[in-house]
């Protein structure tokens, strides 16, 4: 019982006792003194007044005592409530699931709670006296902490997500609130940080995002994520002026697998298809499952439609290999619709729609194939891809041949050299011209193999001729502009010369004028290295590549070959005649030989000889033929 209450009770009892004594006394006194009732009632009135006055006095005294007692009691109560509150706070501090860290105004840690120890893995003695920077993850830039302190200064509180490091070194996300504490004088006394480990929330957040954006069966991106990524890819492709291709891949008659073998096998099959597709592609290609048996592929860098078509063919071929699903060997054909950016559409949505209609075309064209959004492109691309595919096989099956075309010294009419020209003996189409397949080989990268092979054949052939006593000054070999810029060309030429044992002075490399002028500095360096090997260098198709005369002068080249386009106009066309004259004068002024190609008539040969071009090549001297058919004795007289 509190002291104030005891005082109140005591005062009340005393008051009651005195009232009873007074009543007893006053009634006794009144009865003995008065027999007259009027007098009695007057005394009773006075008695009443006296009672009121005495009561008021008592109340006044008791009230003062009581208030004093109650004042003391309030203080006592306050103190005990404080104690209670502290006990509760301590319990909260220790039992809360949030980590709590208190630092003094210097930023040194003075308190941590149990949850702090559990979350961070540090014991309190390891962190007391240390600074909270001990837990820095290194994930946030200095600006992040500067902004945090600025908010603390201005608002007295900061809340936010922050990545910190546990004692184990693991980095984890926290939701943290930091508050400034001031003392009674308003001075900063402490910082209190309360935080919770939100890794679990983050994980489930990630899981939710993943579920919303991925197909649960194959774990591939779904349509939503695919469209989003495609749009991003298009934006960056546009900035970099790149082409992209979107392929919609659909499995033919997949329903039959579901219907005949059940949905479980169907699901396993879809998973296997997804895995096989994923294994086919490297970076720069996004694969997604749009739903059912429909997949989408986005090639972020696809400059030519032929590359998109080749990719489609690769997918079709790749999925043709049998799948082993739960002991069933399953075969599947694929149809693909292709839409190109920026040619067919500019947005991801539109590309998807176009690819879808192209897919419909592929399906209606008999399935197991691909179709482009634009029909002419489909046919064109198909031819090219087929050609590329067949060309690869042609190399393996040795369907390529080297033909040689004679080059004559016109003043003496003697054959002094040959140019090696590649041919493709196609089993069905007969002899295919390099003008048709060299561009395809250049685009598919097969050109390196082809040129290396031709060079080796030509050098071997030259050695054989030399051994047979044929006196040729050189064999000329064409070098693709694609290879000319590559450093490996030098090694390749050196290797072929070493392997075949041909004296480098007998090998002439023809490089087109445009290849030289594409990057003149690289060309200059490359030519000097090749010259060091001892081979001769000629510029092919001269007059078509807008050479800078200054640059031309610096090139270590021995020969200019006048392009056959100018020769064709001779002798009638005055412009062609003027150009040919200039080229010959130019070559002579730089100490180079001149060789005219495409000479079909004797008049052309005669004029060229007259103008000073001593070397001639063309049907009039002889067509390109297999090595065994070269006519060594043939010496057509010009004059
Ligand atoms: P090029 O190097 O300018 O070869 C000359 C082309 O003109 C050859 O065509 C040749 O057959 C043709 N030609 C020769 N004399 C005459 C003529 O009097 N009249 C006409 N109309 N044409 C004549 P071809 O063999 O079809 O080769 C075409 C081009 O293909 C070559 O032009 C060359 O750039 C390229 N090429 C040929 N073989 C190879 C090779 O092994 N590697 C590389 N990278 N390119 C090659
Ligand atoms: Mg040539
Ligand atoms: Mg030429």
């Amino acid at each position: 019982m509190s002291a104030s209450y005891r005082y109140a009770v005591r005062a009340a009892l005393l008051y009651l006792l005195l009232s009873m004594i007074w009543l007893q006394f006053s009634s006794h006194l009144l009865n003995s003194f008065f027999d007259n009732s009027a007098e009695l009632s007057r005394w009773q009135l006075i008695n009443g007044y006296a009672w009121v006055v005495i009561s008021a006095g008592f109340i006044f005294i008791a009230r003062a005592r009581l208030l004093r007692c109650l004042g003391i009691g309030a203080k006592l109560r306050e103190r005990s409530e404080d104690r209670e509150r502290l006990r509760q706070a301590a319990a909260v501090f220790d039992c809360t699931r949030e980590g709590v860290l208190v630092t003094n105004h210097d930023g040194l840690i003075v308190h941590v709670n149990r949850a702090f120890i559990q979350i961070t893995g540090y014991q309190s003695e390891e962190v007391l006296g240390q600074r909270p920077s001990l837990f820095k993850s290194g994930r946030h830039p200095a600006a992040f902490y500067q902004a945090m302190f600025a908010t603390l200064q201005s608002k007295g509180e900061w809340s936010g997500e922050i990545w910190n490091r546990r004692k184990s070194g693991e980095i984890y996300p926290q939701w943290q609130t930091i508050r400034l504490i001031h003392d009674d004088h308003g001075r900063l006394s402490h910082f209190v940080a309360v935080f919770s480990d939100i890794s679990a929330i983050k994980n489930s957040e990630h899981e939710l995002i993943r579920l919303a954006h991925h197909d649960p069966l194959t774990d591939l991106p779904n349509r939503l994520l695919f469209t989003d990524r495609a749009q991003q890819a298009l934006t960056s492709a546009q900035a970099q002026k790149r082409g992209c291709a979107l392929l919609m891949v659909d499995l033919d008659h997949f329903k039959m697998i579901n219907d005949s073998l059940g949905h479980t096998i169907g699901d396993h099959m879809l998973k296997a298809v997804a895995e096989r597709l994923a294994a086919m592609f490297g970076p720069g290609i996004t694969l997604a499952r749009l739903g059912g048996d429909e997949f989408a592929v986005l090639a972020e860098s696809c400059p030519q439609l032929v590359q998109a078509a080749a990719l489609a063919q690769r997918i079709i071929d790749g999925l043709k290999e049998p799948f082993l699903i739960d002991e069933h060997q399953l075969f599947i054909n694929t149809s693909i619709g292709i839409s190109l950016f920026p040619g067919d559409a500019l947005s991801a949505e539109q590309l998807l729609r176009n690819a879808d209609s192209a897919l419909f075309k592929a399906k209606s064209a008999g399935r197991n194939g691909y179709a482009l959004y634009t029909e002419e492109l489909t046919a064109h691309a198909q031819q090219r891809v087929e050609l590329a595919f067949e060309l690869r096989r042609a190399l393996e099956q040795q369907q390529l041949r080297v033909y040689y075309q004679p080059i004559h010294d016109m003043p003496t009419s003697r054959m002094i050299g040959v140019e090696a020209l590649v041919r493709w003996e196609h089993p069905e189409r007969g002899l295919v011209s390099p003008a048709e397949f060299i561009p395809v080989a250049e685009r598919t990268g097969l050109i390196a193999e082809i040129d290396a092979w031709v060079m080796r054949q030509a050098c071997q052939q030259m050695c054989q001729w030399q051994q047979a006593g044929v006196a040729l000054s050189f064999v000329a070999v064409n070098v693709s502009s694609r290879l000319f810029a590559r450093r490996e060309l030098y090694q390749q030429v050196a290797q072929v010369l070493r392997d075949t044992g041909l004296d480098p002075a007998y090998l002439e490399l023809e490089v087109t004028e445009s290849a030289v002028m594409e990057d003149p500095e690289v060309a200059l360096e490359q030519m000097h290295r090749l010259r060091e090997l001892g081979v001769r260098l000629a510029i092919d198709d001269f007059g078509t590549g807008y050479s800078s005369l200054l640059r031309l002068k610096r090139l270590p080249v021995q020969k200019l070959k006048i392009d056959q386009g100018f020769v064709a106009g001779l002798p009638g066309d005055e412009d062609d005649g003027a150009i040919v004259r200039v080229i010959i004068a130019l070559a002579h002024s730089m100490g180079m030989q001149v060789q005219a190609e495409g000479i079909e008539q004797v008049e052309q040969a005669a004029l060229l000889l007259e103008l000073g071009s001593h070397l001639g090549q063309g049907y009039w001297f002889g067509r390109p033929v297999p090595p065994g058919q070269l006519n060594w004795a043939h010496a057509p007289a010009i004059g």
Side-chain angles (χ1 to χ4, degrees):
M1 194 189 288
S2 75
S4 55
Y5 182 72
R6 278 202 305 274
Y7 271 105
V9 169
R10 259 191 240 161
L13 285 174
L14 185 66
Y15 176 72
L16 213 67
L17 185 69
L18 288 172
S19 318
M20 281 167 67
I21 293 170
W22 174 254
L23 276 177
Q24 276 296 317
F25 173 72
S26 63
S27 61
H28 183 72
L29 214 67
L30 290 177
N31 286 334
S32 56
F33 277 99
F34 302 102
D35 31 49
N36 166 326
S37 61
E39 218 164 325
L40 178 68
S41 57
R42 206 174 69 236
W43 266 102
Q44 272 174 337
L45 190 69
I46 292 167
N47 188 22
Y49 275 122
W51 174 243
V52 169
V53 171
I54 289 167
S55 296
F58 267 117
I59 287 169
F60 181 76
I61 296 163
R63 188 178 149 268
R65 289 288 304 262
L66 197 64
L67 279 181
R68 204 154 52 88
C69 296
L70 284 176
I72 295 165
K75 256 190 205 141
L76 285 170
R77 190 168 61 236
E78 233 171 63
R79 238 182 260 157
S80 92
E81 274 172 11
D82 277 354
R83 270 205 302 275
E84 188 60 27
R85 242 184 265 137
L86 276 174
R87 249 201 312 275
Q88 282 169 6
V92 171
F93 183 74
D94 231 34
C95 300
T96 181
R97 287 157 62 93
E98 269 81 42
V100 180
L101 172 150
V102 184
T103 75
N104 62 16
H105 62 279
D106 289 330
L108 300 177
I109 301 171
V110 290
H111 284 300
V112 290
N113 70 344
R114 219 183 308 166
F116 171 94
I117 294 167
Q118 278 161 3
I119 297 172
T120 65
Y122 284 101
Q123 292 305 314
S124 51
E125 56 275 16
E126 292 175 290
V127 296
L128 292 180
Q130 303 269 17
R131 291 186 184 279
S133 55
L134 178 68
F135 317 116
K136 265 192 180 175
S137 64
R139 270 213 184 180
H140 302 287
F144 172 84
Y145 296 101
Q146 281 159 9
M148 174 200 281
F149 279 106
T151 312
L152 270 173
Q153 296 285 325
S154 61
K155 301 206 173 120
E157 186 178 304
W158 177 89
S159 304
E161 211 177 287
I162 184 166
W163 289 81
N164 271 342
R165 191 184 293 275
R166 298 188 217 270
K167 188 183 175 187
S168 64
E170 184 199 346
I171 291 174
Y172 67 107
Q174 292 181 345
W175 180 262
Q176 194 170 78
T177 300
I178 308 175
R179 191 172 286 178
L180 302 185
I181 308 290
H182 294 96
D183 63 14
D184 291 346
H185 308 288
R187 285 182 303 235
L188 172 68
S189 65
H190 294 91
F191 292 89
V192 177
V194 179
F195 61 89
S196 43
D197 179 349
I198 53 168
S199 348
I201 299 172
K202 281 252 155 199
N203 287 345
S204 30
E205 209 175 88
H206 276 143
E207 187 57 16
L208 271 177
I209 293 172
R210 208 186 62 75
L211 285 175
H213 292 91
H214 285 80
D215 159 47
L217 178 67
T218 60
D219 212 27
L220 289 177
N222 60 12
R223 184 183 282 267
L224 187 70
L225 180 58
F226 181 76
T227 315
D228 190 46
R229 287 206 186 150
Q231 197 53 56
Q232 283 175 23
L234 298 191
T235 311
S236 83
Q238 194 150 31
Q240 296 166 17
K241 300 202 166 35
R242 259 190 291 117
C244 299
L246 197 153
L247 282 69
M248 205 174 271
V249 180
D250 192 282
L251 309 179
D252 294 341
H253 305 298
F254 180 72
K255 197 172 166 297
M256 273 166 53
I257 295 181
N258 263 344
D259 290 350
S260 54
L261 299 170
H263 284 260
T264 311
I265 301 247
D267 281 357
H268 290 176
M269 176 74 181
L270 287 172
K271 269 176 99 163
V273 167
E275 279 162 21
R276 193 176 287 182
L277 285 173
M280 271 185 215
F281 311 128
I285 291 195
T286 305
L287 173 66
R289 181 174 172 225
L290 301 182
D293 59 351
E294 208 170 69
F295 295 84
V297 175
L298 177 82
E300 288 176 26
S301 177
C302 200
Q304 309 267 352
L305 71 94
V306 66
Q307 272 136 338
L311 179 64
Q313 193 60 55
R314 194 147 68 87
I315 295 173
I316 292 171
D317 295 343
L319 295 182
K320 264 209 180 96
E321 297 291 313
F323 288 86
L324 192 67
I325 309 284
D326 298 349
E327 293 169 1
H328 297 274
Q329 203 182 27
L330 301 178
F331 292 86
I332 196 100
N333 281 336
T334 317
S335 298
I336 298 178
I338 307 172
S339 173
L340 300 170
F341 168 90
D344 295 339
L346 293 175
S347 74
E349 294 286 348
Q350 192 58 43
L351 269 182
L352 271 166
R353 271 197 293 276
N354 290 358
D356 198 34
S357 50
L359 176 64
F360 180 74
K361 271 191 236 169
K363 292 252 176 207
S364 27
R367 299 170 192 260
N368 190 25
Y370 60 85
L372 279 119
Y373 181 61
T374 327
E375 235 157 74
E376 315 87 80
L377 292 184
T378 309
H380 190 58
Q382 264 163 358
Q383 273 174 10
R384 292 278 196 81
V385 171
E386 271 165 29
L387 201 65
F389 179 72
E390 285 182 279
L391 194 55
R392 192 165 280 124
R393 215 174 37 199
L395 258 167
E396 287 161 12
Q397 297 183 354
Q398 300 178 340
Q399 293 171 3
L400 296 186
R401 305 280 177 266
V402 183
Y403 277 33
Y404 296 88
Q405 185 175 31
I407 293 156
H408 280 248
D409 175 58
M410 294 200 278
T412 61
S413 295
R414 234 169 25 91
M415 189 204 298
I416 64 157
V418 286
E419 178 174 1
L421 294 159
V422 68
R423 297 288 179 269
W424 176 7
E425 250 175 40
H426 194 282
E428 287 127 40
R429 295 167 60 190
L431 219 53
V432 183
S433 151
E436 195 178 333
F437 67 84
I438 291 283
V440 175
E442 284 182 333
R443 243 175 259 127
T444 52
L446 274 177
I447 190 68
E449 254 177 276
I450 293 178
D451 272 7
W453 181 81
V454 172
M455 191 181 295
R456 193 170 287 272
Q457 294 291 311
C459 291
Q460 276 169 359
Q461 186 59 61
M462 192 63 176
C463 288
Q464 282 177 24
W465 280 325
Q466 286 176 340
Q467 279 157 16
V470 174
L472 280 182
S473 302
F474 63 91
V475 59
V477 173
N478 292 285
V479 177
S480 160
S481 57
R482 293 290 166 119
L483 306 180
F484 186 65
R486 290 204 211 158
R487 296 192 178 275
E488 306 93 82
L489 178 65
Y490 166 84
Q491 281 143 11
Q492 183 192 310
V493 176
Q495 184 71 42
V496 169
L497 289 170
R498 252 199 316 276
D499 293 350
T500 58
L502 180 70
D503 179 345
Y506 290 96
L507 178 62
E508 185 169 283
L509 300 181
E510 291 189 10
V511 190
T512 59
E513 189 188 7
S514 44
V516 175
M517 289 305 149
E518 221 164 68
D519 194 342
E521 291 311 311
V522 173
L524 185 67
E525 195 194 324
Q526 181 78 279
M527 284 184 153
H528 275 295
R529 299 188 73 198
L530 291 169
R531 275 300 290 154
E532 277 166 23
L533 281 177
V535 298
R536 297 151 55 99
L537 298 172
I539 298 190
D540 204 354
D541 304 342
F542 191 79
T544 56
Y546 308 101
S547 283
S548 137
L549 293 186
L550 261 177
R551 290 221 171 95
L552 197 62
K553 228 178 117 190
R554 290 165 58 205
L555 296 177
V557 167
Q558 287 73 56
K559 186 189 277 181
L560 293 187
K561 289 184 72 175
I562 306 174
D563 187 68
Q564 50 182 283
F566 304 117
V567 175
L570 300 183
D573 192 306
E574 282 181 18
D575 288 345
D576 285 349
I579 292 170
V580 168
R581 268 190 199 89
V582 171
I583 295 176
I584 294 171
L586 189 71
H588 286 167
S589 73
M590 289 191 290
M592 297 176 187
Q593 286 184 309
V594 203
Q595 180 178 317
E597 53 182 352
I599 301 173
E600 294 185 354
Q601 303 156 18
V602 67
E603 293 81 9
Q604 290 169 334
L607 179 60
L608 284 160
L609 180 60
E610 188 192 315
L611 294 177
S613 167
H614 289 179
L615 300 175
Q617 174 184 7
Y619 294 168
W620 190 71
F621 295 101
R623 288 183 176 257
V625 287
Q629 293 176 24
L630 272 174
N631 187 351
W632 305 110
H634 183 59
I638 297 166

